[in-house]
Amino acid sequence: MTRLAEEHGAINLAQGMPDFDAPPRVKSAAIKAIEEGFNQYETTWGSEKLREAIAEKALSFNGIQADPTTDVTVTCSSTEAMTASIIATVDAGDEVIIPEPFYENYVPATIIGGGRPRHVRLRESGPSFDEEELKAAFSSRTKAIIINTPNNPAGKVLTKEELKLVADLCVDFNSLAITDEIYEHIIYDGRKHVSMASLDNMGERTITISGLSKTYSVTGWRVGYAIAAKGITSAIRKVHDYTTVCAPAPFQKAGVEALKLPQSYYVRLAREYQKRRDFVVKSLQKVGFSATNPEGAYYILADFSSLSAEDDTSFAHRITKSAKVAAVPGSSFFAYKGLGRTKVRFSFAKKDQTLREAMRRLTRFATK
Ligand code: PLP
């Protein structure tokens, strides 16, 4: 959709990347690192300083105890952390539970790892899971469940109780939880992010994944990380070493600076995203989409069935070409494609003026 947006000069609300810049202090740290000669291979599992900074942040923000020497792996993005974690832990034929809707990469990563994806429904409003459906998905074949909170694309934030339900099943079936917490700081209406690994008995069986991309608006830097117990980390580090060797050295330096930003940075980040969310949800509703407020992350999965009888792909292509606003077809986020046929996903990680112009274009398109 990004390519189609570029081809048609459309505002790209498809791919989840900001059109605003990283904090100046973080950018300067990257420039300084390059100028000071940090341009060669880093330690394969991440620079010592960055691993220490990640371990400190994991303790203070996530409530996770991690030893930077044995439990932290710096990777080329959280996407790589997820793929490396799956390859490191899943054996041929193992099942991996992936609640749907999901971030598209989990399914191919599972297949590359030799695993078999198994899906349960993540409800877009109300309780996240149907307890019976979730229980029925676990079996002796379940190697892992992938939990993404705050969730892309549904904007769901899992409560402690919901995580506990998953945790108990992981313990009962000797399964791992692989958690994608890349949107941990982008969370609304006073909600608090809860990390699975902070729950009783879960530290040993959780791989916690996050990165710099979303929190510091540096999606092109490709720095992420995985936190896990020593034995699991050792396997993740091997996969990481033999696939990418190391994450970009100067951006690891900048990552250390990023992790020193004061609390006020994170408060402002969430507040500004919440303002954008409120504006875009209301505007989409006025245009005729059915959309509710996401609880976290920066996407809206909007239903367009009152505007058009087309399927999601045709509609997404048409608004990209005619309205000049790009969105992602909803079926991309579901294994059972029918669940996304009347939906498209908009990202609101954009400047206010970009969002205002996008909403003007959609309004004109709908009233034509
Ligand atoms: N995880 C989720 C849920 C995402 O939505 C995205 C990007 O859209 C990523 C991971 C990618 O993060 P990274 O840039 O660290 O690979």
Side-chain angles (χ1 to χ4, degrees), residues 77-79 103 106 148 152 180 182-183 213-214 222 299:
S77 79
S78 70
T79 300
Y103 172 51
Y106 303 149
N148 171 216
N152 166 19
D180 178 344
I182 192 84
Y183 297 104
S213 285
K214 313 289 178 172
R222 317 310 296 137
Y299 305 97

Side-chain angles (χ1 to χ4, degrees), residues 254-294:
V256 175
E257 274 310 299
L259 286 160
K260 285 185 196 155
L261 287 172
Q263 182 55 24
S264 55
Y265 171 77
Y266 303 96
V267 172
R268 194 159 156 232
L269 180 81
R271 200 173 49 218
E272 291 189 347
Y273 268 119
Q274 186 166 322
K275 272 198 261 161
R276 295 182 191 112
R277 174 199 72 170
D278 293 348
F279 169 71
V280 176
V281 168
K282 280 206 191 84
S283 305
L284 290 176
Q285 287 169 342
K286 273 192 213 145
V287 170
F289 288 93
S290 163
T292 51
N293 273 344

Side-chain angles (χ1 to χ4, degrees), residues 53-64:
I54 291 166
E56 270 170 38
K57 173 258 172 192
L59 187 60
S60 61
F61 178 74
N62 306 91
I64 300 170

Side-chain angles (χ1 to χ4, degrees), residues 112-156:
I112 290 167
R116 286 211 306 256
R118 177 163 185 161
H119 300 283
V120 293
R121 194 67 209 280
L122 176 80
R123 295 197 193 110
E124 286 146 48
S125 57
S128 296
F129 297 110
D130 175 314
E131 244 182 88
E132 291 314 310
E133 186 196 2
L134 185 65
K135 281 184 189 157
F138 275 83
S139 73
S140 57
R141 294 182 300 278
T142 310
K143 177 51 74 75
I145 179 166
I146 297 178
I147 293 293
N148 171 216
T149 180
N151 167 272
N152 166 19
K156 258 306 179 115

Side-chain angles (χ1 to χ4, degrees), residues 12 18 33 45 72 77 82 134 137 152 154 164 181 183 200 276 309 330 364:
N12 186 1
W45 47 82
V72 178
S77 79
M82 178 60 71
L134 185 65
N152 166 19
K164 177 95 179 51
E181 305 184 23
Y183 297 104
D200 289 346
R276 295 182 191 112
R364 264 201 310 270

